[in-house]
Amino acid sequence: MKKFDKERVLLAVAGPAMALAVAFVISAVVLLASGKNPVEPFQIMFEQLGYSDKQVLIINQASLYYIAALAVAIGFRMNLFNIGVDGQYQLGAMLAAIVGAHMNLPAVIQVPLLLLAAAATGSLWAGIAGVLKVTRGVSEVVSTIMLNAIAVSVISYLWLPNVLGVKQGNNNTTGEMHESGWIPGFDLGDAGEIYGLVVLAALLGIGYWVLLNRTRFGFDLRASGASESAATASGVNPKRMVLSAMLLSGAIAGLAGLPILMGSTHTYNLNFPTGIGFLGIGIALLGRNSPVGILFASLLWAWLDKASPELDFYDYDKEIAVIMQGIIVLAVVVSYEVVREWGLRRQQRRVGAELAAGHVLGATDNNVKKEVAG
């Protein structure tokens, strides 16, 4: 590997490593200040990795986080902060559940239809923010926050029994989906079942990498995010790229709830997980918008979620995992800036050394020429 490549890898790893180290240290300090053992809670959570049922739960949860984080990362690549992933994810899952409950087609048609319904719903919802930005200059941060609130209201309306909802006791649901829309999982016996749409998460990760690194659209997206003026000078329409990025981000966000919807719950109800989109922001930051980095960050977040409940049995508050997640988000921003400055200084020193070496070499050549001429 070339020296430049080694330095780039070092810079990519240093930020997340620093953020994780800071998170563990600060969490340990909080435990110590509370009069608790600062090490034992982490030992307990690490032990959970050895149980196959916990491994299945972590993988399943990570699939939701991974898709949501990819949706956030698409926006980040364009310098767009799509905070509305959570609303797009919830609406996409609900509309897919409604379609699955009211239409019963052969599985070969039903499954793609549900995927399309979820993606189209998320894309449409994100597209509203995109249109507002390119036509009226409205910040996507403000508009997507407002759209999240509106999405909750839309869901509450659709849940009404006289609209599209089905009341089951005290629970609001969309009714059970027809089996033609269910996706069988990977049965691991006593350990449980891994969602079948974990495969969808993997395919989206591969597609994300190919799109950004092997297509003209991906190049235009990255160029527009790096410098809008430079992209414009090269013939790229920045407004079109903003709208395209928001539509694509929303489409991926709409798919984030399908692994659990089509693989486990088969309905959208009050117990359906929320907040996935907001967690995706921290995961995308920790993973540096890289599909591989986001994968490891998703597994880390899922491990903190699924291993922390065990702490209750040892008189520790499971909220220590939430504290760690919050600290990671804060630390990752600071650590990336520190690593960026460090990398910039290294590059400046290297360039300075190369210029000095070139100056010395040039002076030596001039001396030799003078001696030959003399």
Side-chain angles (χ1 to χ4, degrees):
M1 184 182 291
K2 297 180 180 179
K3 183 178 180 181
F4 172 76
D5 293 333
K6 289 182 179 179
E7 289 186 356
R8 187 167 61 180
V9 171
L10 179 62
L11 292 174
V13 173
M18 187 183 300
L20 291 176
V22 169
F24 275 102
V25 170
I26 294 180
S27 300
V29 171
V30 171
L31 286 167
L32 194 60
S34 304
K36 300 293 184 67
N37 188 318
V39 177
E40 187 179 25
F42 302 116
Q43 292 177 336
I44 294 171
M45 288 196 292
F46 275 115
E47 287 173 359
Q48 303 309 304
L49 291 173
Y51 298 107
S52 57
D53 59 334
K54 291 291 185 182
Q55 294 168 5
V56 169
L57 290 175
I58 290 170
I59 292 173
N60 286 340
Q61 190 71 12
S63 66
L64 277 67
Y65 291 161
Y66 187 71
I67 298 175
L70 287 179
V72 175
I74 286 287
F76 280 163
R77 288 288 191 170
M78 186 63 196
N79 274 338
L80 295 171
F81 206 160
N82 183 10
I83 301 182
V85 167
D86 202 62
Q88 297 150 21
Y89 142 78
Q90 291 186 60
L91 274 180
M94 186 178 200
L95 264 293
I98 291 172
V99 172
H102 290 81
M103 298 188 68
N104 188 14
L105 301 172
V108 69
I109 300 176
Q110 184 87 342
V111 170
L113 179 63
L114 298 183
L115 293 174
L116 180 61
T121 302
S123 184
L124 174 64
W125 208 246
I128 297 173
V131 171
L132 289 174
K133 185 173 181 65
V134 300
T135 59
R136 292 293 181 266
V138 178
S139 169
E140 75 281 358
V141 175
V142 176
S143 59
T144 51
I145 289 176
M146 295 298 100
L147 285 167
N148 278 339
I150 297 173
V152 173
S153 299
V154 171
I155 289 172
S156 298
Y157 172 74
L158 294 176
W159 256 336
L160 294 176
N162 60 340
V163 183
L164 292 171
V166 176
K167 197 75 172 178
Q168 294 182 353
N170 293 324
N171 200 350
N172 294 326
T173 79
T174 55
E176 188 173 67
M177 296 165 53
H178 292 286
E179 290 191 23
S180 58
W182 298 10
I183 298 292
F186 304 99
D187 190 1
L188 300 182
D190 294 337
E193 187 175 271
I194 295 177
Y195 297 151
L197 284 186
V198 165
V199 175
L200 173 65
L203 292 175
L204 286 173
I206 296 171
Y208 170 81
W209 183 87
V210 171
L211 178 71
L212 288 179
N213 298 283
R214 292 293 184 270
T215 67
R216 173 60 187 270
F217 176 82
F219 174 80
D220 291 345
L221 188 72
R222 289 183 287 113
S224 301
S227 174
E228 183 176 316
S229 58
T232 302
S234 63
V236 178
N237 186 333
K239 290 187 176 181
R240 180 176 62 84
M241 293 309 302
V242 167
L243 184 57
S244 298
M246 288 300 295
L247 290 172
L248 181 58
S249 177
I252 296 175
L255 297 171
L258 295 195
I260 186 172
L261 175 68
M262 300 173 71
S264 177
T265 64
H266 308 305
T267 186
Y268 187 93
N269 56 33
L270 290 173
N271 299 322
F272 206 81
T274 59
I276 301 296
F278 296 113
L279 294 176
I281 296 173
I283 293 170
L285 285 172
L286 183 61
R288 298 202 67 177
N289 302 323
S290 161
V292 176
I294 291 174
L295 171 61
F296 286 111
S298 299
L299 291 170
L300 170 65
W301 240 257
W303 165 67
L304 290 171
D305 280 348
K306 298 304 179 182
S308 59
E310 191 70 18
L311 296 176
D312 284 338
F313 297 101
Y314 294 87
D315 197 28
Y316 288 101
D317 296 323
K318 64 181 180 180
E319 282 73 22
I320 188 64
V322 180
I323 293 173
M324 282 194 64
Q325 290 174 342
I327 295 172
I328 288 173
V329 174
L330 292 175
V332 74
V333 176
V334 177
S335 63
Y336 283 164
E337 184 61 24
V338 171
V339 170
R340 189 187 69 82
E341 289 291 336
W342 175 67
L344 183 60
R345 290 175 183 174
R346 280 178 59 89
Q347 290 178 0
Q348 289 173 342
R349 286 196 297 268
R350 185 173 67 248
V351 171
E354 291 175 352
L355 289 175
H359 179 73
V360 171
L361 181 60
T364 302
D365 289 342
N366 288 335
N367 290 336
V368 171
K369 292 178 180 177
K370 290 180 181 178
E371 290 179 3
V372 173

